Amino acid sequence: MRVVLAPDKFRGSLTARQVADAMAEGVRLAYPNADVVTLPLADGGEGTAEVLTEATGGNWYTAPVHDPLGRSISAGYGISGDGQATAFIEMAQASGLRLLSATERNPLHASSVGTGELIQAAIASGAQRIILGIGGSATNDAGIGMASALGWRFQDENGQELPPTGRSLAHISRIIPPTNPIPDGISISVACDVTNPLAGLNGAAFIYGPQKGANPSMVAELDNGLVHFANLVKQQFGVDLADVAGAGAAGGLGAGAMFFLQADLKPGVDVVLDAVAFEQHVAQADLVITGEGKMDEQTLQGKLLMGVASRAQKARVPTIALCGTLDITPADMDTLGLVAAFSILNRPQTLDEAVTHAYTDLRQATFAAVRLFFNGAY
């Protein structure tokens, strides 16, 4: 009897590892001799690098970098332990909104230079492949900060070097490639769950700028800068970034990754599931159990849980989902490809109580679901 546990975190209460551990305890309570495979997962955003490092038996490293406002900090990245020399990097580690206080948020001044420094550190450590998660950014610089750390230069009409920030985008007259580019043979994949174009009303500045501290006039300035940057790249290099789906991710770093890094943009769930070899693990499984803190309409928008269930369904392996809040219909459950879904809440309780008891309640819910499943209840 083989059970694959592939959960996301329960936001605000349990990490993905804690969720997987609680589920594993519940499975073994039901069937002590079960073969349990734990694959704590993430959706490409914050926490993804650590999850993937652990899943591949890798090691965690730190490097000195600069935060979005240029202050010196230490940020982490992982190198896989599977012999593939894959680096796992999160933009949020070095260029994340979480690094700034509410009063410091200003995407006109913020730079993604720290993300480039992490990429540089990973390459120096021998990485041949990089998986870059770009969720949670504080920046709107189209990746010119990242690029500057890798040797790209940006000049104004007078030949003066510009700081690699969102405000500088509109003033770039010349983009100068690095003298020592990223070595050939290094592949970079970007975990990206948004499809926004670079600029316009559905682009990076208008959709995501306000949450990064931009007021309406700043949003307009940033959007003009993104339009100018796209036009300049097309004029100088013949590369059209303007209407590419996902180019507007992470303040335009989606576009920057495609241009400066020659990276592929892929759905975050696919990048993560491929990295942990999910299909190999599930091939001989009898049951997959996944879960997240809240199952609602967003779960149906191609998020992690839906990706897990979809791949398990293709392998003809049934999937059960456990969560804190269960807010989907029976039709939604069918759309997701689940045989069952349960909330772990088993009594009236406050939010604080639910968070406090989440581990124990999840273990008990897993026990009950597994015992029902393997006794033919569904």
Side-chain angles (χ1 to χ4, degrees):
M1 183 183 301
R2 191 176 203 221
V3 182
V4 173
L5 307 176
D8 199 349
K9 62 185 172 296
F10 279 34
R11 187 180 299 277
S13 58
L14 300 174
T15 66
R17 164 49 62 190
Q18 291 170 326
V19 173
D21 287 347
M23 287 178 168
E25 290 181 21
V27 172
R28 293 192 175 103
L29 281 174
Y31 289 96
N33 296 323
D35 177 13
V36 181
V37 177
T38 58
L39 295 175
L41 301 176
D43 61 6
E46 192 172 340
T48 299
E50 291 184 69
V51 164
L52 293 181
T53 302
E54 178 186 346
T56 58
N59 295 302
W60 190 253
Y61 301 90
T62 58
V65 302
H66 293 89
D67 79 356
L69 297 182
R71 297 171 296 204
S72 296
I73 61 170
S74 179
Y77 67 96
I79 299 290
S80 67
D82 56 6
Q84 302 300 310
T86 301
F88 305 116
I89 298 174
E90 287 173 21
M91 187 181 189
Q93 280 278 331
S95 310
L97 196 61
R98 66 182 182 85
L99 299 172
L100 306 180
S101 68
T103 57
E104 292 175 329
R105 297 177 181 181
N106 186 332
L108 286 173
H109 298 156
S111 173
S112 60
V113 64
T115 298
E117 291 169 330
L118 278 182
I119 293 171
Q120 190 177 49
I123 293 173
S125 70
Q128 292 299 304
R129 182 185 177 216
I130 295 173
I131 292 177
L132 174 62
I134 60 174
S137 72
T139 58
N140 199 109
D141 67 358
I144 64 171
M146 173 196 70
S148 71
L150 299 170
W152 291 79
R153 295 160 55 206
F154 306 91
Q155 295 181 343
D156 64 15
E157 60 183 7
N158 298 315
Q160 297 298 309
E161 300 288 328
L162 288 165
T165 63
R167 171 157 277 164
S168 293
L169 287 173
H171 305 288
I172 301 172
S173 290
R174 186 181 178 209
I175 300 173
I176 304 172
T179 54
N180 296 305
I182 292 175
D184 292 338
I186 295 178
S187 65
I188 302 177
S189 296
V190 175
C192 175
D193 283 327
V194 305
T195 58
N196 303 78
L198 183 60
L201 294 179
N202 197 38
F206 276 95
I207 298 300
Y208 302 108
Q211 70 190 40
K212 300 176 185 183
N215 60 34
S217 65
M218 293 161 64
V219 165
E221 183 177 350
L222 289 165
D223 189 66
N224 287 336
L226 293 170
V227 171
H228 174 75
F229 172 76
N231 289 337
L232 183 61
V233 168
K234 186 175 182 179
Q235 175 187 346
Q236 190 175 338
F237 298 94
V239 177
D240 191 352
L241 299 170
D243 297 319
V244 178
L253 191 132
M258 287 186 287
F259 175 61
F260 298 119
L261 306 178
Q262 303 299 300
D264 296 321
L265 267 59
K266 299 180 179 179
V269 61
D270 291 335
V271 172
V272 171
L273 292 178
D274 288 345
V276 302
F278 178 78
E279 291 177 358
Q280 295 177 34
H281 288 296
V282 81
Q284 303 301 320
D286 298 292
L287 175 66
V288 171
I289 303 178
T290 187
E292 60 183 3
K294 183 178 183 179
M295 292 179 62
D296 57 15
E297 66 278 357
Q298 291 190 24
T299 306
L300 302 169
Q301 306 304 314
K303 298 296 184 181
L304 181 63
L305 189 149
M306 188 172 189
V308 168
S310 175
R311 291 201 185 195
Q313 191 173 42
K314 290 178 182 177
R316 300 182 182 277
V317 178
T319 301
I320 295 171
L322 302 174
C323 61
T325 299
L326 181 61
D327 188 19
I328 61 172
T329 67
D332 293 337
M333 201 179 304
D334 289 340
T335 298
L336 289 168
L338 301 171
V339 297
F342 303 102
S343 169
I344 67 171
L345 302 178
N346 55 21
R347 60 195 177 280
Q349 55 192 294
T350 65
L351 176 59
D352 286 344
E353 290 172 331
V355 169
T356 299
H357 300 297
Y359 191 98
T360 301
D361 290 347
L362 179 57
R363 179 179 60 195
Q364 185 65 26
T366 305
F367 164 81
V370 170
R371 181 64 65 87
L372 280 170
F373 179 83
F374 285 111
N375 280 284
Y378 49 89

